[in-house]
Amino acid sequence: MNPILAIAFLFYSLIGLTNAVTHEVIVGGPGKLVYSPESLTATVGDSIRFVFQQKNHTATQSSLQKPCEPVAGFDSGFMAVADDVTSNYPTFDIFVKDTNPIWVYCRQGNHCSQGMVFAVNAGDKFQSFKQNALTGGAPATTSQAAYGTATSAAAAATSSKSGAISLKSASVLHIVLASVFALSLIA
């Protein structure tokens, strides 16, 4: 195969990485028990960056029916931010691998039952999700393993089991596969 054609294919396959959008979601803040925005629409390949502000919050995957209970998926772990911190907030990234809804809550105390929930691709179901949290959202008392990519003093990086995968591992995987395919065309 023509090496120029193989290089062009590699370049074209890497362009897909640049079309992805990183959606920033603020978690908490001074006197706030919210994710901002509360809901957003993302496409396959996009990433969601949770930026943790004041107090101690999580971004924990849940379900529409039981918003305040963890499912086998991602969990940022607790991200404590002091009241006097005004920059360099800890972050946690997830990578959107399909267009199914991703339901998220804060598992700190009663934050979820006070409406601290977030969703990706919820469609017209977000208000039901939030109402479920407000009316039946008993906080979970057990800790789940962290999935996703956290950036803090004690960062954790693994892949998710449901709804999202680590942004870094997905990007590296895409580049490696595209490179292997392009090299096979050259040989």
Side-chain angles (χ1 to χ4, degrees):
M1 169 135 256
N2 183 340
I4 304 247
L5 184 60
I7 292 170
F9 174 79
L10 177 63
F11 177 74
Y12 176 75
S13 68
L14 293 176
I15 289 175
L17 292 176
T18 62
N19 291 334
V21 173
T22 299
H23 302 273
E24 190 170 279
V25 178
I26 304 301
V27 183
K32 297 178 183 176
L33 296 180
V34 296
Y35 293 89
S36 181
E38 285 187 313
S39 178
L40 60 85
T41 301
T43 60
V44 174
D46 286 359
S47 63
I48 312 298
R49 172 164 290 153
F50 296 96
V51 179
F52 293 86
Q53 294 190 356
Q54 287 77 8
K55 299 299 179 201
N56 193 15
H57 302 290
T58 72
T60 304
Q61 192 167 1
S62 67
S63 67
L64 172 64
Q65 297 77 18
K66 296 182 179 181
C68 300
E69 294 183 21
V71 296
F74 61 83
D75 182 5
S76 66
F78 287 99
M79 300 283 196
V81 178
D83 288 337
D84 62 347
V85 173
T86 59
S87 63
N88 297 319
Y89 297 113
T91 63
F92 179 76
D93 294 340
I94 62 170
F95 184 80
V96 178
K97 68 178 186 177
D98 57 42
T99 57
N100 294 327
I102 301 172
W103 310 104
V104 180
Y105 79 106
C106 178
R107 63 182 172 90
Q108 172 68 283
N110 64 355
H111 291 190
C112 181
S113 62
Q114 292 187 45
M116 191 168 181
V117 294
F118 168 77
V120 178
N121 298 331
D124 62 355
K125 293 184 173 46
F126 181 77
Q127 289 308 317
S128 295
F129 175 62
K130 187 165 186 174
Q131 189 60 36
N132 289 345
L134 292 169
T135 59
T141 58
T142 59
S143 174
Q144 298 290 314
Y147 295 99
T149 304
T151 304
S152 67
T158 62
S159 64
S160 170
K161 295 179 183 175
S162 174
I165 59 175
S166 164
L167 176 60
K168 291 179 183 176
S169 65
S171 297
V172 169
L173 178 63
H174 185 77
I175 291 168
V176 168
L177 290 175
S179 299
V180 168
F181 183 73
L183 290 174
S184 72
L185 292 175
I186 294 172

